[in-house]
Amino acid sequence: MAQRPLPLLTLANEFFWTSGADGRLRIQECTSCASLVHPPAPVCRYCGGREMGVRAVSGYATLVGFTLNERFGVPGLPPPYVVGRVAVEEDPRVRLTTNIIDHDPGDLRLGMRTEVVFQQEGDVWLPLFRPTADQPAPAAMPPDDPEPEQVASFVRPMAAREKFEDKVAITGVGASRIGRRLMLSPMELTLQACEQAVADAGLTLADIDGLSTYPGAVSMGGIGEGGLTHVEAALGLRPTWHNGGLETFGPAGSVIAAMLAVAGGLATHVLCYRTVWEATFSQLVKEGRTTQEMGRLDGYTSPFGATSAAPSLAINAQRHFHRYGTTKEALGWIALNQRANAATNPEAIYRDPMTMDDYLNARPITTPFGLYDCDVPCDASTAVVVSARHRAVDLPRPPILVEAVGTQIIERVEWDQTTSTHEPQVLGQAAHLWSRTDLRPGDVDIAELYDGFTFNCLSWIEALGFCGIGEAGDFLQGGKNIARDGVLPLNTHGGQLSHGRTHGMGLLREAIIQLRGEGGERQVPDARTAVVSSGGLTPSGVLLLRTDS
């Protein structure tokens, strides 16, 4: 029988994963302030103490989030199963990802009291939880630190009066073919996009003195081309600056990094690119022509079948519903809007009309998400050129200027310890954006907001102030506000939900097309400012772009 993905035992975490041998749940404790600290760390995040110990706790916890995963399982854990999030009774700031067992998923309620049940898998004792036999009144949900309305108070003031954004411009944009299972190599897609972006900027490859990409040379199951060194070798460039990595300002973080390099004088024209080939990769796995191995992981969510963003975001969506009264239909209006916009875009993968009934009756994935809440895996590459602003005036196309960026991390970065009612790493970056400009949400003409799932988009809408926190349900009602002729035209090319999962960079490309007035049938009249968000969950970024007119 297949074994579920097990954690990698380390000096830091072995006590946690093996403590169930005697039936006791153990959490790291700061001996200076008695706070529980999870995941384990050599320093207390609350008091700065470095004398860390381990405390055996009662094993009781409050259910603060859950999702019924009905579609995608992991080895040893076939669906359906419940991924839960519980807050430890002794210190509700500590939340554990787990599986909720021995209970009908339809009867689960937030605030239920649960108790730990250990399941041995080899040398690991997995802490699973079940509702207690005697249920008190549902407990209140523990607050986030900070609460959504408090995030802006943590924004740091500008470090300098001079803005680096004023020194840069976006001068070129390109894209490869996009489709499902194109069966092309990721390098071929990358070169198509890069060569098109350079030509679009009116440059030659000899002019390019910088390269920047995400996620770099990291094996991530078809969401990368293999790193910048392969592209440099293929094109024969000699960059004075280069950048590639996963822990940056979201999937389009390579562009913000390039802006900093250009503003600092390290390069003049930086080619930034993002390649995905998930659809072809999946097909090759099915045919046995490549493998996607899942070994032991150093993490606290994978052993419970939470191996992607889907269950984490689904849990947060459920908490948003619970706290603010948001309904699934609110997410549906986002999906319908993207599909309507895709109908005007010949590149889009999904263009057929969709109704609210279609959306609500779609195949369930992980509650509350159904099929149309999820983006479309595809093959595509997108590239842009970031140039020094003073050099952009000599190029054939009007430059797209950068008004401000938002990058500050305020919320905790661990998926299950952080913001519970929105997509994490959205509230802080959005608040930071508005601290770097005099423009306000009402000045934005179009919004291209990350929509790996519908809930990503809803979170950015609230975080950026297009409506109040908790008010997206009313703002999205009927879909009129986010239509191309609404107050906030949203994801005008169809977004990742219908155009295809270009992982953030496709949204940036669409913003540039709209600001240039080149959107054709989907063009928003007189678009002069655009906000573009990139990612979430991991450190993300958001850009405010404008024309020079």
Side-chain angles (χ1 to χ4, degrees):
M1 179 179 177
Q3 189 176 61
R4 67 167 75 194
L6 295 180
L8 176 69
L9 298 184
T10 67
L11 293 175
N13 70 23
E14 187 173 7
F15 79 89
F16 178 81
W17 291 115
T18 61
S19 66
D22 64 359
R24 302 295 301 278
L25 178 66
R26 290 173 173 84
I27 307 291
Q28 188 183 55
E29 178 185 42
C30 171
T31 59
S32 297
C33 69
S35 293
L36 297 181
V37 177
H38 185 78
V43 61
C44 175
R45 66 178 290 112
Y46 304 108
C47 76
R50 290 185 175 272
E51 296 297 324
M52 310 302 288
V54 174
R55 188 201 306 180
V57 296
S58 66
Y60 291 107
T62 301
L63 182 62
V64 296
F66 65 90
T67 180
L68 176 62
N69 179 58
E70 300 189 56
R71 175 62 178 164
F72 299 107
V74 296
L77 190 61
Y81 56 85
V82 175
V83 178
R85 189 175 296 160
V86 298
V88 174
E89 280 194 351
E90 286 82 354
D91 190 341
R93 294 174 299 185
V94 171
R95 300 163 192 173
L96 304 179
T97 296
T98 184
N99 295 128
I100 307 299
I101 62 172
D102 298 342
H103 205 80
D104 186 336
D107 293 333
L108 291 175
R109 297 292 182 268
L110 296 183
M112 295 183 82
R113 195 179 196 219
T114 62
E115 59 187 359
V116 71
V117 181
F118 289 99
Q119 176 176 307
Q120 185 178 2
E121 298 269 357
D123 55 358
V124 169
W125 278 260
L126 297 174
L128 312 181
F129 282 78
R130 66 188 178 197
T132 59
D134 296 324
Q135 278 294 316
M141 295 294 96
D144 286 336
D145 182 19
E147 288 279 49
E149 296 85 355
Q150 300 168 340
V151 167
S153 66
F154 291 87
V155 172
R156 297 181 184 272
M158 288 177 56
R161 295 178 62 185
E162 186 180 56
K163 290 168 53 178
F164 79 88
E165 293 99 325
D166 294 336
K167 299 180 180 181
V168 304
I170 299 176
T171 55
V173 62
S176 72
R177 291 174 56 193
I178 181 171
R180 299 275 282 167
R181 293 178 288 277
L182 293 178
M183 306 307 288
L184 296 174
S185 74
M187 181 58 66
E188 173 62 28
L189 297 171
T190 301
L191 297 183
Q192 287 179 18
C194 288
E195 291 172 346
Q196 187 181 119
V198 172
D200 181 69
L203 300 170
T204 68
L205 288 174
D207 296 312
I208 300 299
D209 55 3
L211 280 176
S212 192
T213 188
Y214 169 102
V218 178
S219 177
M220 293 181 63
I223 62 170
E225 75 300 311
L228 61 89
T229 54
H230 290 178
V231 173
E232 190 282 329
L235 295 178
L237 305 177
R238 294 184 172 88
T240 58
W241 177 84
H242 56 85
N243 171 77
L246 185 62
E247 293 184 316
T248 186
F249 318 109
S254 61
V255 178
I256 299 178
M259 293 172 182
L260 290 165
V262 169
L266 279 169
T268 302
H269 302 292
V270 179
L271 178 59
C272 310
Y273 53 92
R274 176 79 188 91
T275 303
V276 293
W277 60 298
E278 289 176 282
T280 287
F281 180 85
S282 297
Q283 183 62 33
L284 293 176
V285 170
K286 290 178 182 178
E287 295 176 5
R289 297 164 64 185
T290 190
T291 61
Q292 185 167 2
E293 297 182 358
M294 183 178 292
R296 287 203 165 192
L297 306 172
D298 186 10
Y300 290 86
T301 61
S302 297
F304 308 102
T307 56
S308 72
S312 290
L313 281 176
I315 288 172
N316 285 33
Q318 178 212 46
R319 282 290 300 275
H320 197 284
F321 288 12
H322 178 265
R323 182 167 183 176
Y324 303 115
T326 313
T327 64
K328 185 169 170 61
E329 283 81 358
L331 301 180
W333 290 117
I334 293 173
L336 266 61
N337 175 78
Q338 263 76 313
R339 182 60 62 87
N341 289 341
T344 66
N345 183 359
E347 291 182 348
I349 293 175
Y350 289 158
R351 303 180 62 199
D352 293 338
M354 182 166 64
T355 67
M356 184 61 79
D357 283 343
D358 295 331
Y359 167 80
L360 294 173
N361 294 319
R363 183 174 71 230
I365 302 298
T366 185
T367 54
F369 296 157
L371 178 64
Y372 299 127
D373 289 292
C374 309
D375 59 10
V376 186
C378 65
D379 301 337
S381 183
T382 311
V384 301
V385 177
V386 175
S387 301
R389 186 170 175 179
H390 70 277
R391 296 290 295 273
V393 297
D394 299 325
L395 300 179
R397 288 184 174 277
I400 301 302
L401 306 182
V402 183
E403 173 65 23
V405 303
T407 58
Q408 186 181 344
I409 297 174
I410 294 175
E411 307 144 86
R412 287 188 65 170
V413 296
E414 305 97 337
W415 288 10
D416 51 0
Q417 309 300 313
T418 187
T419 300
S420 63
T421 56
H422 293 75
E423 179 187 11
Q425 305 307 317
V426 164
L427 296 165
Q429 286 79 0
H432 185 223
L433 175 80
W434 298 120
S435 74
R436 298 185 61 81
T437 176
D438 292 329
L439 297 182
R440 298 293 92 184
D443 298 311
V444 173
D445 295 320
I446 54 172
E448 309 294 344
L449 303 181
Y450 195 82
D451 60 343
F453 300 89
T454 50
F455 185 66
N456 300 74
C457 224
L458 180 148
S459 296
W460 279 110
I461 288 170
E462 291 191 355
L464 286 164
F466 296 117
C467 66
I469 296 294
E471 297 177 1
D474 290 336
F475 180 80
L476 293 166
Q477 183 62 38
K480 294 181 180 179
N481 283 332
I482 57 174
R484 289 195 307 278
D485 59 353
V487 297
L488 185 70
L490 176 69
N491 292 12
T492 47
H493 66 316
Q496 301 190 144
L497 297 174
S498 286
H499 175 260
R501 191 187 190 211
T502 49
H503 216 210
M505 284 285 272
L507 297 164
L508 178 59
R509 173 179 176 246
E510 176 65 11
I512 294 166
I513 289 172
Q514 288 285 334
L515 293 178
R516 286 177 172 180
E518 299 172 353
E521 185 180 350
R522 67 181 187 274
Q523 179 64 46
V524 175
D526 302 319
R528 297 290 182 266
T529 59
V531 65
V532 185
S533 67
S534 174
L537 279 177
T538 56
S540 69
V542 57
L543 300 92
L544 187 61
L545 307 178
R546 62 180 176 85
T547 63
D548 200 17
S549 57

Short mmCIF file of all heavy atoms in Angstrom, two decimals, residues 69 72 74 81 83 294 301-302 305-314 365-366 415 453 501 537:
data_model
loop_
_atom_site.label_atom_id
_atom_site.label_comp_id
_atom_site.label_asym_id
_atom_site.label_seq_id
_atom_site.Cartn_x
_atom_site.Cartn_y
_atom_site.Cartn_z
N ASN A 69 -11.50 17.87 0.70
CA ASN A 69 -10.81 17.67 -0.57
C ASN A 69 -11.43 16.48 -1.29
O ASN A 69 -11.39 15.35 -0.79
CB ASN A 69 -9.32 17.42 -0.33
CG ASN A 69 -8.58 17.17 -1.63
OD1 ASN A 69 -8.60 18.00 -2.53
ND2 ASN A 69 -7.95 16.01 -1.74
N PHE A 72 -8.18 15.82 -5.70
CA PHE A 72 -6.79 15.44 -5.87
C PHE A 72 -6.24 14.91 -4.55
O PHE A 72 -6.19 15.62 -3.55
CB PHE A 72 -5.96 16.62 -6.35
CG PHE A 72 -6.41 17.15 -7.69
CD1 PHE A 72 -7.08 18.36 -7.79
CD2 PHE A 72 -6.17 16.42 -8.83
CE1 PHE A 72 -7.50 18.84 -9.01
CE2 PHE A 72 -6.59 16.90 -10.07
CZ PHE A 72 -7.26 18.11 -10.16
N VAL A 74 -3.12 12.32 -2.55
CA VAL A 74 -1.69 12.05 -2.55
C VAL A 74 -1.52 10.56 -2.30
O VAL A 74 -2.45 9.88 -1.84
CB VAL A 74 -0.96 12.87 -1.46
CG1 VAL A 74 -1.06 14.35 -1.75
CG2 VAL A 74 -1.50 12.55 -0.07
N TYR A 81 -11.06 13.48 1.70
CA TYR A 81 -10.57 13.59 3.07
C TYR A 81 -10.65 15.06 3.48
O TYR A 81 -10.68 15.96 2.62
CB TYR A 81 -9.15 13.05 3.22
CG TYR A 81 -8.12 13.66 2.30
CD1 TYR A 81 -7.47 14.85 2.64
CD2 TYR A 81 -7.77 13.04 1.10
CE1 TYR A 81 -6.51 15.40 1.80
CE2 TYR A 81 -6.82 13.59 0.25
CZ TYR A 81 -6.18 14.76 0.61
OH TYR A 81 -5.24 15.31 -0.22
N VAL A 83 -9.00 18.25 5.15
CA VAL A 83 -7.83 18.97 5.65
C VAL A 83 -8.35 20.00 6.64
O VAL A 83 -9.22 20.82 6.30
CB VAL A 83 -7.06 19.65 4.52
CG1 VAL A 83 -5.87 20.45 5.08
CG2 VAL A 83 -6.57 18.63 3.50
N MET A 294 7.75 12.38 -5.09
CA MET A 294 7.40 13.05 -3.84
C MET A 294 8.09 12.31 -2.71
O MET A 294 7.62 11.27 -2.26
CB MET A 294 5.89 13.10 -3.63
CG MET A 294 5.47 13.86 -2.37
SD MET A 294 3.68 13.94 -2.20
CE MET A 294 3.25 15.00 -3.56
N THR A 301 2.50 20.58 6.36
CA THR A 301 1.19 20.46 5.73
C THR A 301 1.08 19.26 4.79
O THR A 301 0.03 18.63 4.71
CB THR A 301 0.84 21.74 4.94
OG1 THR A 301 1.81 21.95 3.91
CG2 THR A 301 0.85 22.96 5.87
N SER A 302 2.14 18.92 4.08
CA SER A 302 2.08 17.85 3.08
C SER A 302 1.65 16.51 3.63
O SER A 302 0.92 15.77 2.94
CB SER A 302 3.43 17.72 2.38
OG SER A 302 3.75 18.90 1.67
N GLY A 305 -2.04 15.82 3.16
CA GLY A 305 -2.64 15.97 1.85
C GLY A 305 -2.82 17.40 1.42
O GLY A 305 -3.48 17.66 0.41
N ALA A 306 -2.23 18.35 2.15
CA ALA A 306 -2.28 19.76 1.77
C ALA A 306 -0.99 20.10 1.05
O ALA A 306 -0.10 20.78 1.60
CB ALA A 306 -2.48 20.64 3.00
N THR A 307 -0.87 19.61 -0.17
CA THR A 307 0.39 19.73 -0.90
C THR A 307 0.40 20.89 -1.89
O THR A 307 1.37 21.08 -2.61
CB THR A 307 0.68 18.43 -1.66
OG1 THR A 307 -0.42 18.13 -2.53
CG2 THR A 307 0.88 17.27 -0.70
N SER A 308 -0.67 21.64 -1.97
CA SER A 308 -0.74 22.77 -2.90
C SER A 308 -1.45 23.93 -2.22
O SER A 308 -1.88 23.83 -1.07
CB SER A 308 -1.48 22.37 -4.17
OG SER A 308 -2.87 22.25 -3.92
N ALA A 309 -1.59 25.00 -2.97
CA ALA A 309 -2.29 26.18 -2.44
C ALA A 309 -3.78 25.93 -2.28
O ALA A 309 -4.44 26.63 -1.49
CB ALA A 309 -2.05 27.37 -3.38
N ALA A 310 -4.34 24.96 -3.01
CA ALA A 310 -5.79 24.80 -3.05
C ALA A 310 -6.42 24.62 -1.67
O ALA A 310 -7.33 25.36 -1.30
CB ALA A 310 -6.16 23.65 -3.98
N PRO A 311 -6.01 23.63 -0.86
CA PRO A 311 -6.67 23.47 0.44
C PRO A 311 -6.44 24.63 1.39
O PRO A 311 -7.33 25.00 2.15
CB PRO A 311 -6.09 22.16 0.98
CG PRO A 311 -4.83 21.94 0.22
CD PRO A 311 -5.05 22.55 -1.12
N SER A 312 -5.25 25.22 1.36
CA SER A 312 -4.99 26.37 2.24
C SER A 312 -5.90 27.54 1.91
O SER A 312 -6.50 28.16 2.80
CB SER A 312 -3.52 26.79 2.13
OG SER A 312 -2.67 25.83 2.72
N LEU A 313 -6.02 27.85 0.63
CA LEU A 313 -6.88 28.96 0.23
C LEU A 313 -8.35 28.62 0.44
O LEU A 313 -9.16 29.50 0.77
CB LEU A 313 -6.64 29.33 -1.22
CG LEU A 313 -5.39 30.17 -1.49
CD1 LEU A 313 -5.20 30.39 -2.98
CD2 LEU A 313 -5.48 31.52 -0.78
N ALA A 314 -8.72 27.36 0.26
CA ALA A 314 -10.10 26.96 0.48
C ALA A 314 -10.49 27.15 1.95
O ALA A 314 -11.59 27.60 2.27
CB ALA A 314 -10.31 25.50 0.06
N ILE A 365 -13.97 20.47 -6.12
CA ILE A 365 -12.53 20.21 -6.00
C ILE A 365 -12.15 20.10 -4.53
O ILE A 365 -11.80 19.04 -4.03
CB ILE A 365 -11.71 21.30 -6.70
CG1 ILE A 365 -12.09 21.39 -8.18
CG2 ILE A 365 -10.21 21.01 -6.54
CD1 ILE A 365 -11.83 20.14 -8.99
N THR A 366 -12.20 21.21 -3.81
CA THR A 366 -11.99 21.20 -2.37
C THR A 366 -12.83 22.35 -1.81
O THR A 366 -12.64 23.51 -2.18
CB THR A 366 -10.49 21.33 -2.01
OG1 THR A 366 -10.30 21.21 -0.61
CG2 THR A 366 -9.86 22.60 -2.53
N TRP A 415 1.85 29.29 5.80
CA TRP A 415 0.49 29.27 5.28
C TRP A 415 -0.55 29.04 6.34
O TRP A 415 -1.65 29.58 6.26
CB TRP A 415 0.36 28.19 4.20
CG TRP A 415 1.06 28.54 2.92
CD1 TRP A 415 1.92 29.59 2.71
CD2 TRP A 415 0.96 27.84 1.68
NE1 TRP A 415 2.36 29.58 1.41
CE2 TRP A 415 1.80 28.52 0.75
CE3 TRP A 415 0.26 26.72 1.27
CZ2 TRP A 415 1.94 28.09 -0.57
CZ3 TRP A 415 0.41 26.30 -0.05
CH2 TRP A 415 1.23 26.98 -0.95
N PHE A 453 -6.96 31.17 -8.05
CA PHE A 453 -8.30 30.76 -7.63
C PHE A 453 -9.14 32.02 -7.52
O PHE A 453 -8.61 33.13 -7.36
CB PHE A 453 -8.25 30.03 -6.27
CG PHE A 453 -7.42 28.79 -6.27
CD1 PHE A 453 -6.07 28.85 -5.98
CD2 PHE A 453 -7.98 27.56 -6.57
CE1 PHE A 453 -5.29 27.70 -6.00
CE2 PHE A 453 -7.21 26.41 -6.60
CZ PHE A 453 -5.86 26.48 -6.30
N ARG A 501 -3.19 29.69 -17.06
CA ARG A 501 -2.34 29.96 -15.90
C ARG A 501 -0.94 30.38 -16.32
O ARG A 501 0.01 29.59 -16.31
CB ARG A 501 -2.26 28.73 -15.00
CG ARG A 501 -1.62 29.06 -13.66
CD ARG A 501 -1.38 27.83 -12.82
NE ARG A 501 -0.98 28.20 -11.48
CZ ARG A 501 -0.18 27.47 -10.71
NH1 ARG A 501 0.34 26.36 -11.17
NH2 ARG A 501 0.13 27.87 -9.50
N LEU A 537 0.18 34.15 -0.81
CA LEU A 537 0.62 32.98 -0.05
C LEU A 537 2.12 33.05 0.23
O LEU A 537 2.55 33.13 1.37
CB LEU A 537 0.28 31.66 -0.75
CG LEU A 537 -1.15 31.16 -0.59
CD1 LEU A 537 -1.37 29.89 -1.40
CD2 LEU A 537 -1.50 30.90 0.86
#
